Each structure stands twice: as structure tokens, then as C-alpha cells.
Amino acid sequence: MPDSPEQMIAEARKAFFVMFGLLAVVWLVQLANFADHYALSRDYAVVSGDLGTLPDILVAPLLHWSWAHIESNSGPLFVFGFLAAYRGVLRFLALTLLIAVSSGAVVWFFERGDVATVGASGLIFGYFGYVVVRGLFDRHLIDTLVGVVMGASFAYLLTVAVPGTPGVSWLGHLGGLLGGLLGAWLFRDRHTRTPVPAATAAPAAHQAPGEPTRAALYKELDDLGLL
């Protein structure tokens, strides 16, 4: 995870271009799909219990059934994808693979056998879940605040990840959400923070009783992710 402001800005720039590139690929695939009367969606959809469609778990998130379908997914995909990626693109790529597999696997195991599922909404729900809880696992104040804001602003998304939601693959949404939550734990920040040198603390002889040392203050700020 980037620590300095310069590293964060560099990773955020990478995240922007990665998400721009991902959206460009999704829209180029849609153009080819539309030109072929959505044959790609029919041929590479995930169908529950069909062994031949298992590899399509990795392809189905790039496909959509209509222009309205891709338009409704594009905005949330970019926003949540960027927020998931700006702390590290390599971690984001591993997260994306995990979410695609978890979303597709839940569909493959539990959806009705006559339903063909494609779409990026599983990724969207995975990125959403990851962004909401990442700060808690990483003990990072800024990411925690981002998660709180995103969770409060987009909590309504969870209404289409519950059983019985008509017209959408709620199983794909639920599987993606679970993958994002799992990814927040698996890819949590495990690096050991550099301890603040003891020399930076005020000498004990000049410290008022009960007054925290400078080193202790630095440690608290570091634990909150502000250093």
C-alpha cells in the first residue's frame, strides 16, 4: 500500500487509467456484441450446472444484454473500481479476479439452470463491499471515512442483492459482494509500520505527569493512517 502522498497520487493516476481502460474494453466488447445480435452474451454467459460455462465466469463480467444494461453499470463500475484501485493497482487486479470468481461461482451453483447470466454488476457489488470495509481492516482513517460515506450513500444497492429481486441476477450481486468483503480481509495491509525513534520523544525529566510523549502521539496518528 502506498504510504507517502506522492505514492498515493501516483497510484491514483494509475487507477484512473486502469478503470478508463477497463471501461473502454467493456464498451468495445459491447459494440462487437451488438453487431452480432448479442451472440457473445449467449455464447459466453454463465449457466448454472453447465460445466462448459465454468471458464466463462472470467468473461461474463465484460458482456451485457443491452445498451441500457451497460449504461446502468458503467458509472458505478468506474466510481467503485477507482476507489478500490487507488491504493494499489496490483492488489486491485487480484481483487477483481477474486470477485469475478466468487460472483460467477455463486451464480453457477445456485441460479436456475435456464438463466444465462452476464454483466459487470457482480464486480460493482464486489468493489462496493471492498471499499466500505477496507479501511477497517487496514486501520486507515481516510479509507474508513471513504467507506462510511460510500456505504451511507449507496446502501440502497443492497436491495438488489437479496432473494427474489426481479429482473436482475441478485445471486451474482450477492456473490460479488461476498468476494469484495473477503478481498478486504485477504488483501489487508500487513506491512509492519516503521516505529518512531525514541529520540523524538521529549526527555522524561521534562515531561509533565500524564502528558503523552511525542513518540506516543506519532504512534496514535500512524495507527489511524494519518502518517
Side-chain angles (χ1 to χ4, degrees):
M1 175 180 289
D3 292 315
S4 69
E6 293 79 8
Q7 287 176 313
M8 289 180 59
I9 292 173
E11 288 297 328
R13 187 181 296 113
K14 291 180 188 176
F16 176 86
F17 286 112
V18 165
M19 288 311 304
F20 183 86
L22 177 59
L23 271 185
V25 169
V26 170
W27 277 82
L28 287 173
V29 169
Q30 170 64 10
L31 287 172
N33 202 8
F34 174 75
D36 200 20
H37 306 288
Y38 294 98
L40 291 175
S41 292
R42 293 190 298 272
D43 293 341
Y44 295 98
V46 178
V47 179
S48 179
D50 185 344
L51 287 174
T53 68
L54 268 179
D56 299 335
I57 284 175
L58 301 179
V59 179
L62 303 177
L63 300 166
H64 293 82
W65 288 115
S66 67
W67 290 107
H69 191 192
I70 190 174
E71 288 166 6
S72 65
N73 278 343
S74 294
L77 179 64
F78 184 87
V79 171
F80 291 127
F82 173 80
L83 291 175
Y86 86 97
R87 280 292 185 182
V89 168
L90 290 179
R91 180 189 299 190
F92 170 75
L93 295 177
L95 173 70
T96 299
L97 179 61
L98 173 63
I99 294 171
V101 170
S102 66
S103 177
V106 170
V107 169
W108 193 88
F109 278 105
F110 300 109
E111 185 59 88
R112 300 194 314 272
D114 60 340
V115 175
T117 301
V118 298
S121 53
L123 293 180
I124 293 170
F125 275 77
Y127 296 152
F128 171 73
Y130 176 78
V131 167
V132 167
V133 302
R134 172 183 57 191
L136 299 177
F137 289 115
D138 286 346
R139 296 174 62 194
H140 196 283
L141 179 61
I142 300 302
D143 286 345
T144 300
L145 293 177
V146 169
V148 169
V149 172
M150 291 295 103
S153 301
F154 296 94
Y156 68 88
L157 289 175
L158 299 179
T159 61
V160 289
V162 296
T165 305
V168 298
S169 176
W170 69 268
L171 282 166
H173 297 170
L174 179 60
L177 181 64
L178 294 176
L181 298 177
L182 177 62
W185 181 77
L186 289 177
F187 304 126
R188 67 192 183 278
D189 183 16
R190 292 183 174 89
H191 82 280
T192 303
R193 296 183 184 275
T194 304
V196 178
T200 61
H206 301 289
Q207 181 178 318
E211 180 183 349
T213 65
R214 186 182 303 175
L217 177 59
Y218 285 167
K219 184 177 184 304
E220 290 296 325
L221 292 175
D222 189 43
D223 288 341
L224 290 173
L226 293 176
L227 291 179

